Amino acid sequence: MNRNLWLLTLLQGLFFTNNVTFIAINGLVGLSLAPYGWMATLPVMGYVVGGALFTGPVAWTQSRLGRKNSFVLGLVVAVASALLCAYAAYTRQFWLLCAATLLAGYYSANGQLYRFASAELVAPAYREKAVSFVMAGGLIGAVAGPNLATRTQALAGVPFAGTYLALAAVAVLAMGVLAVMRFPAPPARAAASGGRPLGEIARQPVFIVAAGAAALGYGVMNLLMAATPLAMAQCGFAFSDAAFVLEWHVIGMFAPGFFTGHLIKRYGVLNVMGVGVLLNLACIALALSGVALANFTVALFLLGVGWNFLFTGATTLSLSAYTAAERDRAQGAMNFLMFAVMAVSSFSSGVLVTTQGWDWLNLGSLPPVLLVGAGLLWLLARQRRAAA
């Protein structure tokens, strides 16, 4: 542990305060402003589409400006986009809200690199634990996000306009944290090309499984999480109940971060990711068994823990697929694929939950979960053959 790792963990927590709050309110604000109900989650989709579109520019700024300056730029965009969201909510402009969340995707594309930066702050033998510990910083978002949304939803006289203003203040606080941090010097570029071409990196089985598990695991989690406030509203629950469920979901996402790295060290990354697949399946089974508050709470908690095992494992697994000089293009490609899948899941969640219902939404999440499990078994078989 070192000072910069602690500060990066705090920065991760503030980033996920923004993420969790966006997930909690964007669908509801969208539902109140959208011309049609099935468009409700377009603002959620805009956030992840923006993340996908900005992965390239963010990778460029990371390479040219370094970690710290690129992260500062992301927070500047976070402040501007949150203020624009507040204005859109206040003036009841649905398409302006979608545009503002699209712009906010730049901050998301930056923040998703915090976990990779953590591995650069410690010795190689401690990378798994560093990634896991920084991921645990999301616990701040688990508590702060839903409570921030609940306490500020009526602050400005328009539902959730005050919440967006509060998120701008959270980004300013993150700037203060970042100001006192130090990052290692960027790695030297290997010759003119900076390492292998992206196509060669991406064809490695270990990269295919890592990127696929991160993208599909995040996509399924986003599919169910984004739809939960809408599904609970359809079932007659108050927003405070949905905030409570999301709080426990995000606790499940990040509380394991204190020990996931130890589990990976002891049992192997593929085994831990396999447990993540099983927890996703348990979440779906429980969600299909009923729509009581306990069903929503426990199912979303299991979904969070399963996501943590898959996502932390995928991030750790990917570290063996590229060199330091190749990090920006490899990490950018992983995040682009993740955001692309999340964009599809964000849009699908609104369409499915408002037209087909909660049960069909959960059934639709089964194929990607099973595909991740098949990928893990494939890579495990290859590794055993190679060892033999």
Side-chain angles (χ1 to χ4, degrees):
M1 295 301 300
N2 59 64
R3 175 175 174 270
N4 286 318
L5 195 62
W6 280 104
L7 292 173
L8 187 61
T9 302
L10 177 58
L11 206 60
Q12 174 87 345
L14 296 174
F15 168 57
F16 269 94
T17 298
N18 182 90
N19 274 15
V20 173
T21 306
F22 260 32
I23 291 295
I25 70 174
N26 277 357
L28 295 173
V29 177
L31 185 63
S32 69
L33 302 181
Y36 304 100
W38 60 267
M39 294 182 174
T41 53
L42 281 181
V44 182
M45 177 183 173
Y47 186 50
V48 294
V49 168
L53 293 177
F54 288 121
T55 50
V58 165
W60 186 89
T61 59
Q62 291 276 329
S63 177
R64 297 302 190 276
L65 305 180
R67 289 289 196 203
K68 185 170 184 174
N69 291 332
S70 181
F71 289 154
V72 168
L73 182 58
L75 288 168
V76 170
V77 174
V79 173
S81 59
L83 294 176
L84 192 57
C85 283
Y87 179 76
Y90 191 79
T91 57
R92 299 190 61 79
Q93 298 186 58
F94 176 71
W95 295 111
L96 181 60
L97 178 67
C98 293
T101 59
L102 185 76
L103 178 63
Y106 187 92
Y107 174 42
S108 184
N110 255 283
Q112 288 293 347
L113 293 174
Y114 292 161
R115 69 189 197 277
F116 290 112
S118 66
E120 300 158 13
L121 299 177
V122 297
Y126 297 96
R127 293 188 306 180
E128 298 91 342
K129 295 180 181 180
V131 171
S132 179
F133 189 82
V134 168
M135 292 289 290
L139 275 173
I140 298 170
V143 176
N147 283 284
L148 184 71
T150 301
R151 295 176 185 276
T152 60
Q153 60 176 316
L155 192 62
V158 174
F160 300 113
T163 306
Y164 290 123
L165 293 176
L167 287 179
V170 170
V172 172
L173 177 60
M175 287 183 186
V177 174
L178 189 59
V180 295
M181 288 187 64
R182 298 181 63 183
F183 291 89
R189 296 175 64 85
S193 64
R196 295 169 294 171
L198 178 59
E200 184 178 343
I201 299 170
R203 285 193 296 271
Q204 300 171 97
V206 66
F207 187 88
I208 293 171
V209 172
L216 293 174
Y218 220 130
V220 168
M221 187 276 293
N222 188 65
L223 178 75
L224 298 177
M225 183 173 68
T228 294
L230 298 176
M232 294 187 69
Q234 289 177 336
C235 294
F237 291 102
F239 176 73
S240 57
D241 293 322
F244 173 78
V245 170
L246 287 179
E247 180 175 350
W248 276 101
H249 167 64
V250 185
I251 288 172
M253 288 174 66
F254 298 110
F258 292 110
F259 56 82
T260 307
H262 296 276
L263 294 177
I264 291 173
K265 273 283 195 183
R266 181 168 182 177
Y267 298 108
V269 64
L270 296 183
N271 290 326
V272 171
M273 293 172 71
V275 174
V277 170
L278 295 177
L279 289 171
N280 273 261
L281 294 175
C283 157
I284 295 167
L286 188 59
L288 290 171
S289 68
V291 290
L293 181 60
N295 291 79
F296 280 109
T297 304
V298 179
L300 268 291
F301 178 77
L302 293 177
L303 178 68
V305 178
W307 172 86
N308 179 279
F309 286 3
L310 275 176
F311 197 63
T312 306
T315 301
T316 303
L317 185 64
S318 72
L319 296 176
S320 62
Y322 54 84
T323 65
E326 299 162 350
R327 74 174 194 193
D328 293 318
R329 67 170 65 91
Q331 294 170 6
M334 279 191 68
N335 281 347
F336 176 81
L337 180 60
M338 181 187 72
F339 281 122
V341 173
M342 286 175 63
V344 175
S345 68
S346 298
F347 179 71
S348 301
S349 65
V351 173
L352 287 172
V353 78
T354 56
T355 61
Q356 304 301 317
W358 179 243
D359 285 353
W360 279 105
L361 180 75
N362 280 275
L363 289 172
S365 64
L366 273 174
V369 173
L370 295 175
L371 184 59
V372 172
L376 294 175
L377 292 174
W378 172 68
L379 183 60
L380 184 61
R382 284 184 59 93
Q383 290 180 349
R384 287 180 175 175
R385 285 198 302 268

